[in-house]
């Protein structure tokens, strides 16, 4: 084992120990899914920041930036960061007061079981690409630091196990604790690397001059209909499509109160946007430091630009810092994206099949589902080898954008929204999206934008032609109980 791989293994063992220690405090399913709704502001900030700062931010966004400038990364980090800001401003307080365990619980309370199941399936399905991107990156890290001794596939397996073990025991509480440490390692590590890379490139002024010369700071598209609508579609894919995501919901709802939930999401989103520029800066430095190698890698394997720069041009201490930061980014995202679909499946699908679960049985079901989903993700990641990490991530949010976003917004802000409107919204949105994806129509008009527009049409039309119904919490009581399986009347909104 080489020294760098040894440090990577020690780091993985350290985070595993922190996660397992946190697991000793998990006693109930609410502890497991929402960290007992007890996290302070600092932890909400770090855990929401960590929601997005994953493999695609370090390896994907940075490469896309030097390939096409800021216009090429409007979806992430710009759309992604604004998603967290919008969650904090418009959604966090309202959802927090409802004391829900999952975002799917909202759809059940507002529209009934049918919408709950359909939206939950869309949410669960959307996680395959996102988690697979993190698993793929873990495989790449082990392959690089072992000089090819560990294959990418074996690296994926080792990386998945390193995350799965502490999540399966500690749930959201373990994720929050490890995120707190990992974000500190991430920020310190990448900041030091950025300073070193700037020095190697001849100074930050030369890097900025290169960016201006290549027009990398250009953000807005050409004033042409085609360019503008595809720009808008890219911006809203993660900005709006990620709002009804279970992992964001879990992290925000784990706060100790509604104000903490609001502030944590907004601050976490703004911090993410600011710090996402650091990997972009480092890759821009790489263009000056190793121009020929960077050009070749950007053409054939852009995800390896940063690792190649670090391994070939920086001292051992910097290599340890970089791969520690990279692992922190990947693991912090992978952990929550493994937990989220598992809790959604148990709470919103399995409990409709097997009502009346005790809290202990539900906790066991969470863990079994988590293991099964991790196995599915690993297989999917291996089969998807060769797909760029950025594309794997960005494609995941189109499902929830067209199938779950409109029912959530209208359910919170439009009293006239009905169950039939929500069902029509899901059907119109998903079918339109699939039609545009499968036909040449998608080349002229973005499928996700067509889908979300038709979802809005379905919601308005379906709600207006159907009879208004009672949608208060007590009217939606079912096998979960009148206020959801983990809420109390005193807290219900």
């Amino acid at each position: 084992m080489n020294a760098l791989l040894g440090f990577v293994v020690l780091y993985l063992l350290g985070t595993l120990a922190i996660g397992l220690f946190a697991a000793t405090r998990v006693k109930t399913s609410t502890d497991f899914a929402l960290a007992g709704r007890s996290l302070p502001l600092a932890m909400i900030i770090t855990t929401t920041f960590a929601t997005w700062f994953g493999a695609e931010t370090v390896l994907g966004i940075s490469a896309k930036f030097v390939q096409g400038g800021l216009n090429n990364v409007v979806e992430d980090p710009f759309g992604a960061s604004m998603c967290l800001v919008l969650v904090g401003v418009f959604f966090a307080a309202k959802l927090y007061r409802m004391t829900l365990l999952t975002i799917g619980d909202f759809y059940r309370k507002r529209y009934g079981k049918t919408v709950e199941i359909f939206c939950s399936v869309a949410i669960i399905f959307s996680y395959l690409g996102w988690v697979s991107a993190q698993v793929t990156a873990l495989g790449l890290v082990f392959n690089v630091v072992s000089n090819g001794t560990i294959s990418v596939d074996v690296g994926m397996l080792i990386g998945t196990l390193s995350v799965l073990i502490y999540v399966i025991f500690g749930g959201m509480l373990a994720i929050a604790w490890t995120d707190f440490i990992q974000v500190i390692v991430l920020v310190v590590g990448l900041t030091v690397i950025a300073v070193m890379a700037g020095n190697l490139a001849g100074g930050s002024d030369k890097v900025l001059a290169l960016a201006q010369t290549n027009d990398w700071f250009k953000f807005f598209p050409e004033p042409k209909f085609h360019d503008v609508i595809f720009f808008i579609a890219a911006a809203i894919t993660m900005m709006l499509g990620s709002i009804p995501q279970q992992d964001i919901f879990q992290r925000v709802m784990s706060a100790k109160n509604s104000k903490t939930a609001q502030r944590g999401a907004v601050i976490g989103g703004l911090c993410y946007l600011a710090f996402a520029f650091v990997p972009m800066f480092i890759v821009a430095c790489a263009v000056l430091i190793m121009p020929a190698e960077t050009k070749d890698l950007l053409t054939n394997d852009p995800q390896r630009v940063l690792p190649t720069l670090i391994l070939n041009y920086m001292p051992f201490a910097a290599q340890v810092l970089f791969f520690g930061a990279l692992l922190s980014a990947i693991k912090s995202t992978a952990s929550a994206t493994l937990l989220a679909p598992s809790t959604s499946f148990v709470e919103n699908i399995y409990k409709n099949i097997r009502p009346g679960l005790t809290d202990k049985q539900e906790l066991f079901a969470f863990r079994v589902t988590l293991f099964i989903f991790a196995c599915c993700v690993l297989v999917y990641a291996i089969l998807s080898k060769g797909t760029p990490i950025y594309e794997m991530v960005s494609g995941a949010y189109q499902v929830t954008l067209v199938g779950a976003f409109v029912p959530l917004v209208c359910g919170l802000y439009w009293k006239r929204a009905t169950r039939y409107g929500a069902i029509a919204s899901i059907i119109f949105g998903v079918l339109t999206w699939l039609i545009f994806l499968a036909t040449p129509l998608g080349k002229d008009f973005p499928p996700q934008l067509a889908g979300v527009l038709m979802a809005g049409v379905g919601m308005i039309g379906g709600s207006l032609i159907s009879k208004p119904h009672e949608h208060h919490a007590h009217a939606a009581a079912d096998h979960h109980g009148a206020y959801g399986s983990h809420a109390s009347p005193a807290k219900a909104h």
Side-chain angles (χ1 to χ4, degrees), residues 191-436:
T191 300
V192 172
I193 294 296
V195 172
M196 296 178 71
N199 290 335
L200 286 173
S204 58
D205 55 332
K206 289 190 176 181
V207 181
L208 294 174
L210 174 70
Q212 289 176 334
T213 302
N214 289 320
D215 211 16
W216 287 344
F217 292 135
K218 183 181 178 183
F219 180 71
F220 292 104
E222 295 295 325
K224 300 175 183 176
F225 178 76
H226 180 276
D227 292 355
V228 170
I229 59 169
F230 274 85
F231 176 85
I232 293 170
I236 67 170
T237 297
M238 291 181 74
M239 186 189 302
L240 306 183
S242 298
I243 289 174
Q245 286 282 8
Q246 174 61 17
D247 67 303
I248 292 177
F249 174 86
Q250 280 180 286
R251 291 179 183 227
V252 174
M253 295 304 116
S254 297
K256 63 182 182 179
N257 54 50
S258 62
K259 278 193 175 181
T260 300
Q262 287 179 293
R263 292 171 182 171
V266 172
I267 297 171
L270 294 176
C271 288
Y272 172 69
L273 178 60
F275 204 73
F277 283 92
V278 175
M280 295 186 215
F281 175 82
I282 298 172
V283 170
C285 293
V287 175
L288 291 172
I289 298 168
M290 48 177 209
E293 290 171 87
T294 302
K295 184 178 179 181
D296 180 61
L297 286 169
L298 286 173
T299 302
N300 300 309
D301 196 356
Q303 292 155 189
R304 289 183 180 263
V305 173
L306 270 182
T308 301
L309 171 68
I310 303 303
L311 288 173
N312 294 347
Y313 292 88
M314 293 200 175
F316 180 73
Q319 294 174 18
V320 172
L321 272 176
F322 173 76
F323 285 103
L326 179 57
L327 282 171
S328 295
I330 298 168
K331 284 166 65 68
S332 63
T333 300
S335 55
T337 49
L338 275 176
L339 178 65
S342 305
T343 51
S344 286
F345 175 80
V346 173
E347 178 72 5
N348 304 116
I349 296 176
Y350 185 63
K351 286 175 73 172
N352 279 303
I353 301 170
R354 284 201 60 191
L357 292 178
T358 66
D359 192 74
K360 189 175 181 180
Q361 289 172 327
E362 186 175 353
L363 190 55
F364 179 74
F366 281 149
R367 287 170 169 154
V368 171
T369 306
L370 187 60
F371 176 78
I372 294 171
F373 186 75
C375 293
C376 293
V377 164
L378 182 59
V379 171
Y380 183 81
I382 291 172
L383 294 176
S384 300
K385 271 196 307 184
T387 305
I389 288 172
Y390 188 92
E391 303 303 326
M392 291 174 76
V393 170
S394 61
Y397 304 105
Q398 295 190 21
V399 183
T400 44
L401 174 65
V402 302
F405 173 71
V406 171
L408 174 63
V409 175
C410 291
L412 285 172
Y413 286 98
W414 190 35
K415 291 182 178 180
R416 186 65 177 79
T418 68
R419 178 166 63 95
Y420 297 105
I423 293 171
S425 174
I426 295 166
I427 294 172
F428 279 36
V430 173
L431 282 181
T432 302
W433 173 63
L434 290 174
I435 290 169
F436 273 70

Side-chain angles (χ1 to χ4, degrees), residues 10-63:
L10 282 175
Y11 179 74
L12 290 177
L13 292 174
T15 55
L16 181 62
I18 294 168
L20 290 177
F21 178 74
T24 61
R25 300 189 172 215
V26 174
K27 307 299 180 185
T28 68
S29 55
T30 304
D31 291 339
F32 188 84
L34 296 178
R37 291 167 66 93
S38 63
L39 300 183
L41 180 61
M43 277 194 166
I44 295 298
I45 292 171
T46 55
T47 199
T48 50
F49 173 92
T51 304
W52 293 130
F53 214 104
E56 70 284 358
T57 312
V58 181
L59 303 176
I61 292 173
S62 54

Side-chain angles (χ1 to χ4, degrees), residues 177-194:
W177 284 31
T178 52
D179 277 356
F180 187 74
I181 302 300
Q182 286 169 167
V183 166
I184 293 172
V185 173
L186 167 66
V187 170
V188 172
L190 285 183
T191 300
V192 172
I193 294 296

